[in-house]
Amino acid sequence: MSGAFKDAAIRVERPAKTLRELALDKVREAIVNGYFRPGDRLVERDLCAQLGVSRTVVREVLRHLESEGLVANRPNKGPIVAQLDIEEAKQIYEIRGALEGMAARLCAERSSPEIVAALEEALTGIRNSYRDNDMAGVLANTSSFYQTLFTMVDRHVAWGVVNLLTVRINHLRSMTIKTERRGIEGPAQMSKIVDAIRRGDGEGAYRAAMEHVAAASAIAEAVLSAKKSAE
Amino acid sequence: MSGAFKDAAIRVERPAKTLRELALDKVREAIVNGYFRPGDRLVERDLCAQLGVSRTVVREVLRHLESEGLVANRPNKGPIVAQLDIEEAKQIYEIRGALEGMAARLCAERSSPEIVAALEEALTGIRNSYRDNDMAGVLANTSSFYQTLFTMVDRHVAWGVVNLLTVRINHLRSMTIKTERRGIEGPAQMSKIVDAIRRGDGEGAYRAAMEHVAAASAIAEAVLSAKKSAE
DNA sequence: AATCGTATTATGGCGTACCACACACTGTAG
DNA sequence: CTACAGTGTGTGGTACGCCATAATACGATT
């Protein structure tokens, strides 16, 4: 074997993302970070102009986002940015709890220094972002923490599900993490997860993960109902 | 108020499914029941002819199925029917276990005669379908059983997730239910779930649901590896 | 004859133009 | 003041064309 080629390490790494994928990312990002607000209409031809692509592409993007739950399609009236009602949000948190709990348990059961180290690295990232008041960083590192939880035990499908659901509550997440004391409690709860994993305590890791999500859910519910009554 | 119109009881019941939705259902069905086999190419222009719709519609349908995981898109080569590898199937079963277990626990915790009755009705449907050797009926009624489990406690989002994942393993399901003795063991396991719910035993319902899925997963794994080695 | 370069084909990616239909709005006539 | 017709906006859907790329077939050169 000629050594250098036995793995694909030198592959040219095609940036050949199709226009459709680029547009998809743009619009999704625009929705999750609030450029388009829930209830806003997404007029195809307007999007064409804003994105600089054709209607064909825009339509495919809208379909895709629809199946992700970020966009709602009203028959004969066109797509709008999906509204998140409180009931749905609670269910999403509940599902995340079940799946993240499952992943945490698996991590604990096959606990290893690598897993613990990777999780602690993400956790440090979160603490640093809080310290620097970098809320976008907090979100990113939190995602990274959970991604580690799932991928360390090769649960890519479950991670995909969690990721899919998470984008739908993204603006909620960005509100919960700004809550008073969350900068201390959040990392503390995650630290409990890591501790349980370190000592191989599956049940403890499961419960700790559930509790963390439950706390986030409670805050989200409070925020959401506060916002609702303010309208 | 003019009385007869105050509720929408006589509403025309929108036949207003768009062409796109019809086409989507057709293609999805064609994939899950094996008309298109894993690995088959899905040539856009051919599908246009077969479905009698335009390329725009076909493309949107393919994108949608891609995000459902039923279709895989190879860059610059076009879409094929997704191949299901054994690892992914196991993960899907695992997730179903976590979510169905969660739903079963919730049903048990707020146990009511309605819930039990609805579940038993679905269970009877399964038994009858087995008796009549109606395998399509078994699948439909099994879905119905789980749908009841989720919707009785208003977990529509979780049901959506399970449903989404289930279509990806549909042909596996149709193989597992044909397995010897499954016609007896399957309903027996589900009956244990209902029993636990009836007596309000959340933990028992959770475990029974997990066990049922685990059994299905084991059979699926056996079937899949047998098929693999046969190739 | 084997190999290498080139033409062809198949197909996806993308854009444009067009029509039909549903809905909201608006101004006008009764 | 209301009913209604006209109008504009926007989606649903179709047809067609162009370009880029991958695979294959074919032909030329050594």
Side-chain angles (χ1 to χ4, degrees):
Chain A
M1 209 174 287
S2 36
F5 296 106
K6 81 178 164 202
D7 56 58
I10 45 98
R11 197 52 165 278
V12 284
E13 197 64 62
R14 70 166 64 208
K17 286 245 242 178
T18 65
L19 203 52
R20 175 170 25 94
E21 292 172 289
L22 295 173
L24 176 61
D25 291 342
K26 282 275 185 214
V27 177
R28 184 176 18 228
E29 199 182 341
I31 291 176
V32 300
N33 65 28
Y35 180 77
F36 293 127
R37 324 214 32 164
D40 279 3
R41 298 189 60 180
L42 297 170
V43 178
E44 292 180 2
R45 287 174 172 88
D46 292 355
L47 284 176
C48 293
Q50 293 182 48
L51 296 169
V53 299
S54 77
R55 243 186 104 198
T56 309
V57 171
V58 168
R59 288 178 58 153
E60 290 174 19
V61 166
L62 289 175
R63 300 299 153 241
H64 196 115
L65 292 172
E66 188 186 345
S67 70
E68 281 183 15
L70 275 181
V71 163
N73 214 335
R74 306 158 313 157
N76 287 320
K77 297 180 77 180
I80 60 174
V81 178
Q83 319 245 18
L84 187 68
D85 68 296
I86 195 166
E87 184 50 40
E88 192 181 344
K90 279 166 70 177
Q91 289 185 39
I92 289 176
Y93 277 109
E94 186 180 51
I95 295 169
R96 282 187 51 192
L99 296 183
E100 288 167 6
M102 178 188 88
R105 170 181 275 139
L106 288 166
C107 280
E109 285 169 356
R110 63 185 72 173
S111 179
S112 78
E114 290 93 339
I115 294 179
V116 174
L119 290 173
E120 275 186 335
E121 188 187 331
L123 194 47
T124 306
I126 297 174
R127 287 210 173 90
N128 288 343
S129 297
Y130 264 121
R131 188 198 54 208
D132 304 342
N133 230 32
D134 169 16
M135 289 313 168
V138 173
L139 278 187
N141 282 308
T142 304
S143 286
S144 165
F145 178 85
Y146 281 116
Q147 180 172 15
T148 304
L149 207 61
F150 282 103
T151 56
M152 275 292 160
V153 287
D154 294 311
R155 258 48 177 194
H156 299 95
V157 179
W159 168 241
V161 171
V162 168
N163 215 14
L164 196 66
L165 294 174
T166 299
V167 295
R168 281 157 73 174
I169 54 169
N170 199 275
H171 60 286
L172 268 185
R173 291 177 68 219
S174 60
M175 296 179 85
T176 62
I177 61 171
K178 278 183 223 145
T179 302
E180 213 55 47
R181 296 193 47 71
R182 191 74 184 140
I184 298 168
E185 286 171 6
Q189 288 159 351
M190 291 161 106
S191 185
K192 280 173 81 174
I193 302 176
V194 178
D195 289 343
I197 290 173
R198 186 185 291 107
R199 61 177 192 272
D201 175 8
E203 194 59 27
Y206 176 77
R207 272 205 306 274
M210 292 280 274
E211 276 163 24
H212 179 227
V213 176
S217 178
I219 296 175
E221 187 176 354
V223 168
L224 212 53
S225 58
K227 204 177 70 172
K228 181 135 198 165
S229 64
E231 280 166 7
Chain B
M1 211 174 287
S2 35
F5 297 106
K6 82 176 165 205
D7 58 66
I10 46 104
R11 194 49 167 279
V12 67
E13 195 65 61
R14 69 164 77 193
K17 283 248 238 177
T18 66
L19 202 53
R20 200 178 49 242
E21 293 172 287
L22 295 173
L24 176 61
D25 291 343
K26 283 271 187 217
V27 177
R28 187 193 292 117
E29 199 181 339
I31 291 176
V32 300
N33 65 30
Y35 179 77
F36 293 128
R37 323 215 30 165
D40 279 3
R41 296 189 59 182
L42 296 170
V43 178
E44 292 181 3
R45 289 170 172 89
D46 292 355
L47 283 176
C48 292
Q50 293 181 49
L51 295 169
V53 298
S54 74
R55 249 182 99 196
T56 308
V57 172
V58 168
R59 289 178 57 115
E60 288 175 351
V61 166
L62 288 175
R63 299 283 100 77
H64 196 116
L65 292 172
E66 188 186 344
S67 70
E68 281 184 15
L70 276 180
V71 163
N73 217 333
R74 306 158 311 159
N76 287 320
K77 298 179 78 178
I80 60 174
V81 178
Q83 319 245 18
L84 187 68
D85 69 296
I86 195 166
E87 183 50 39
E88 192 180 343
K90 280 166 69 176
Q91 289 186 38
I92 290 177
Y93 276 109
E94 186 180 52
I95 295 168
R96 282 187 52 194
L99 296 184
E100 287 167 6
M102 177 189 88
R105 169 180 276 139
L106 288 166
C107 278
E109 284 169 357
R110 65 184 71 171
S111 177
S112 79
E114 290 93 337
I115 294 180
V116 174
L119 290 173
E120 275 186 335
E121 188 186 330
L123 194 47
T124 307
I126 298 174
R127 288 211 173 89
N128 288 341
S129 297
Y130 264 122
R131 189 198 54 209
D132 304 343
N133 230 33
D134 168 18
M135 290 311 168
V138 172
L139 277 187
N141 282 307
T142 304
S143 286
S144 166
F145 178 85
Y146 280 116
Q147 179 172 14
T148 304
L149 206 61
F150 283 102
T151 55
M152 275 292 160
V153 287
D154 295 310
R155 259 46 178 195
H156 300 95
V157 179
W159 167 241
V161 171
V162 168
N163 216 13
L164 196 66
L165 294 174
T166 299
V167 295
R168 281 158 72 173
I169 54 170
N170 199 276
H171 59 287
L172 268 185
R173 290 177 69 218
S174 59
M175 297 178 85
T176 62
I177 61 171
K178 280 184 220 139
T179 302
E180 213 56 47
R181 297 193 46 72
R182 190 75 184 142
I184 297 167
E185 286 172 5
Q189 287 159 351
M190 292 161 107
S191 186
K192 280 173 80 174
I193 302 176
V194 178
D195 289 343
I197 290 173
R198 186 184 289 107
R199 62 175 191 272
D201 175 8
E203 194 58 28
Y206 176 76
R207 273 206 306 275
M210 292 279 275
E211 276 164 23
H212 178 226
V213 176
S217 178
I219 295 176
E221 187 176 354
V223 167
L224 213 52
S225 58
K227 205 177 71 172
K228 181 136 198 168
S229 64
E231 281 166 7

